Structure formats: C-alpha cells, structure tokens
Amino acid sequence: MTDATPTPATEADSTPDAPDYDAMTRDIADVPAVEVITTVAVHLLSAAAVNLGLDKPDSEHKDLDEARKLITALAGLVTASATEISSFHAAPLRDGLKSLQLAFREASIVPDEPGQGPGEKFTGPVFG
C-alpha cells in the first residue's frame, strides 16, 4: 500500500521550465524608462490603428469606440511623458498620434467638433 499524501516540493524537484520571477524582476529594472514608455506607446498606436481598420485594405475590423479609448490613452501618455523622453522619442509618437486622430475623424460618420476628438483634450484641436 502506498501513501497518497503529496510531499512538499523542494528546490531540487522544481522543473527547469518554471519561470524565474526573481530574474525577470531584475531584468525589468534594467530597462530604461524611455524604452518602457515608447514600447507602451507603440502598442497603443498599433491597437488604435487596427481598431480604425488601418491594418489592411478593406479591413473588416473597425471599432471606433475602442479606437477612441486607445487614442485618448496614447495622447495622455505622449503629452505627459514628452518632457521626460526627449523630443527625439516624442516627435515620432506625436506624428503617429496626429495621424490616428485625423484617421479617426475621417472614419467617423458624425465627426467630433474641433477639440472634442479622441485625445484632443490633451493635444488641442487637430486639423488636417
């Protein structure tokens, strides 16, 4: 007859595929803030573009409500972090943001009033 009670795992029993959370924590601490900020901004930019249907011609995926949220979040991030990440990094993000804001205005059936579009409370009115 065998004992069915599980024994507690020891370090020797751990699998080599288990993530090393201590090492991962140290790694993120080594990443410069500018890299984290720009990476997040690029993810927001990409997600907004997909939700605007800009990912491919005749895209079936278009969700302007989701795009509005993402563009507003991107505008807040870019505006708040611009002085921290330098114009070298902020300028291309601002250009991408403006392109998304203009694409949103073009895609919208009922355009927002100037200054009321996504992210315009942070950037000011966007005109083509």
Side-chain angles (χ1 to χ4, degrees), residues 40-56 59 61-75 93 96-105 107 118-119:
V40 170
V42 168
H43 283 289
L44 290 169
L45 200 148
S46 299
V50 168
N51 279 288
L52 286 172
L54 301 176
D55 56 331
K56 56 186 173 186
S59 176
H61 185 76
K62 195 179 251 189
D63 189 338
L64 296 183
D65 185 49
E66 290 294 304
R68 178 184 293 277
K69 294 171 189 171
L70 292 162
I71 293 168
T72 299
L74 176 62
L93 294 175
L97 171 60
K98 182 177 180 181
S99 295
L100 287 174
Q101 289 171 312
L102 292 171
F104 183 93
R105 187 171 298 280

Side-chain angles (χ1 to χ4, degrees), residues 4-100:
T5 308
T7 58
T10 63
E11 281 187 43
D13 295 335
S14 67
T15 62
D17 295 333
D20 182 3
Y21 293 110
D22 288 335
M24 290 169 56
T25 302
R26 284 190 299 270
D27 289 344
I28 195 70
D30 295 335
V31 178
V34 67
E35 189 173 329
V36 174
I37 293 166
T38 55
T39 300
V40 170
V42 168
H43 283 289
L44 290 169
L45 200 148
S46 299
V50 168
N51 279 288
L52 286 172
L54 301 176
D55 56 331
K56 56 186 173 186
D58 300 325
S59 176
E60 295 176 11
H61 185 76
K62 195 179 251 189
D63 189 338
L64 296 183
D65 185 49
E66 290 294 304
R68 178 184 293 277
K69 294 171 189 171
L70 292 162
I71 293 168
T72 299
L74 176 62
L77 177 64
V78 170
T79 302
S81 64
T83 58
E84 302 297 326
I85 63 174
S86 80
S87 60
F88 176 78
H89 295 286
L93 294 175
R94 280 193 200 107
D95 291 344
L97 171 60
K98 182 177 180 181
S99 295
L100 287 174

